[in-house]
Amino acid sequence: MERLKEARERIRAARRVAVLTGAGISAPSGIPTFRDPGGLWKNFRLEDYATPEGFKKNPEEVWRWYAWRYKKIREAKPNPAHHLLAELEREKGEGFLLVTQNIDGLHQRAGSERVVELHGSIHRARCTVCDFRTELPAPEKLENHLQPKCPMCGALLRPDVVWFGEYLPPGALEMAQTAFASAEVAMVVGTSAVVEPAASLGRLAKHAGAYLIEVNPENTPLTLLADLALREGAVEGLARLLR
Ligand code: NAD
């Protein structure tokens, strides 16, 4: 209880706060995570759906999977955890940065503006050859066009997300690292903390002197390092920290 009190006080007093979120924060909105029981990787092979090689082998099948996830995400709504972080941003202003591994756009829909999307967005497609990027059409339309072509050069379009083995969007990691290295309080919410380089942001903050808070119902490689690890869901945990 004392620790929770201290964490709340630290958050209140901090001018610089950095938050990293993962799939767990969107689980209460009905979007499956990757690695939990019932998570996406239990039913789909990562190599087939989230690698450039998988896309090259069967682009239509990969687009079908993304169209299915896109539809589910469009139907989902931000939950109170997303809203609490948007509120925290309004309180802290320029000293706040939210870094997310999620591709669902739910933070922005909850009102967050200072967001770095490390793994891209499921709401966009980009050309496999040139620089063309576009918003996806409505899910029903996408489902009937599973080999979308670039209007500029005619090459195949792909989801504008980061797959395993690919580089992060230019500048995204640098912004995230700068925020975590200078944060007084760093929070890591709903991520298994096993995918690099996102996983190392918590460590970076801690080594630079931040007060590190983790919110996750399960232990992660970050748990032992955290000053406070709340073993609960994002909605409950963030409410206790921020309400
Ligand atoms: P992950 O699937 O590896 O881990 C999810 C974590 O969330 C687990 O540690 C789990 O214990 C925790 N969790 C489960 N329910 C929770 C809850 N209610 N509140 C808080 N935590 C909860 O997810 P990750 O670490 O984000 O893995 C990274 C990859 O997953 C990223 O590449 C990301 O793009 C992708 N992903 C994104 C979405 C999305 O955009 N919503 C969904 C699935 C996967």
Side-chain angles (χ1 to χ4, degrees):
M1 213 52 200
E2 272 312 300
R3 281 200 174 204
L4 178 65
K5 211 170 146 202
E6 183 187 359
R8 287 174 59 93
E9 182 48 37
R10 294 258 191 175
I11 296 170
R12 200 194 57 74
R15 278 168 300 124
R16 290 186 305 281
V17 176
V19 182
L20 172 69
T21 63
I25 196 168
S26 294
S29 293
I31 302 173
T33 64
F34 275 173
R35 293 179 181 78
D36 289 312
L40 291 168
W41 294 149
K42 294 287 180 290
N43 300 314
F44 299 94
R45 268 163 46 96
L46 182 159
E47 300 80 17
D48 293 338
Y49 294 93
T51 63
E53 294 75 24
F55 184 70
K56 215 168 175 185
K57 228 190 269 167
N58 198 342
E60 191 167 343
E61 184 56 25
V62 172
W63 263 119
R64 196 184 317 282
W65 191 64
Y66 274 90
W68 168 72
R69 289 181 65 201
Y70 174 57
K71 186 163 185 276
K72 276 182 91 78
I73 283 170
R74 289 259 301 224
E75 287 163 1
K77 289 196 176 65
N79 65 56
H82 296 106
H83 286 292
L84 281 168
L85 290 179
E87 221 169 275
L88 186 61
E89 173 185 321
R90 286 192 288 275
E91 249 170 59
K92 302 293 175 190
E94 286 195 350
F96 181 90
L97 191 70
L98 174 55
V99 178
T100 187
Q101 298 171 93
N102 295 346
I103 57 174
D104 57 33
L106 289 182
H107 284 302
Q108 291 90 332
R109 280 179 53 201
S112 288
E113 290 177 2
R114 301 181 58 79
V115 183
V116 171
E117 289 179 317
L118 284 181
H119 294 164
S121 168
I122 201 168
H123 300 272
R124 294 189 306 264
R126 71 176 151 96
C127 182
T128 47
V129 173
C130 74
D131 287 339
F132 180 78
R133 273 192 167 72
T134 184
E135 294 289 317
L136 290 184
E140 311 75 65
K141 250 186 158 175
L142 183 64
E143 282 158 4
N144 296 323
H145 288 93
L146 293 174
Q147 297 266 14
K149 297 282 169 11
C150 174
M152 296 298 159
C153 73
L156 194 60
L157 294 179
R158 56 164 281 178
D160 192 10
V161 300
V162 177
W163 285 325
F164 288 93
E166 294 189 313
Y167 290 111
L168 300 187
L173 183 61
E174 291 73 8
M175 269 180 82
Q177 284 172 332
T178 304
F180 274 78
S182 64
E184 292 151 62
V185 172
M187 294 162 68
V188 177
V189 184
T191 168
S192 54
V194 292
V195 180
E196 291 294 349
S200 57
L201 290 171
R203 274 200 303 277
L204 172 69
K206 179 68 189 165
H207 291 145
Y211 186 85
L212 180 63
I213 302 169
E214 178 180 64
V215 181
N216 195 314
E218 305 289 335
N219 284 327
T220 78
L222 214 58
T223 302
L224 283 178
L225 208 62
D227 295 286
L228 175 70
L230 288 180
R231 286 285 69 84
E232 53 194 353
V235 171
E236 303 75 21
L238 288 180
R240 290 217 288 153
L241 286 165
L242 301 172
R243 274 266 148 74

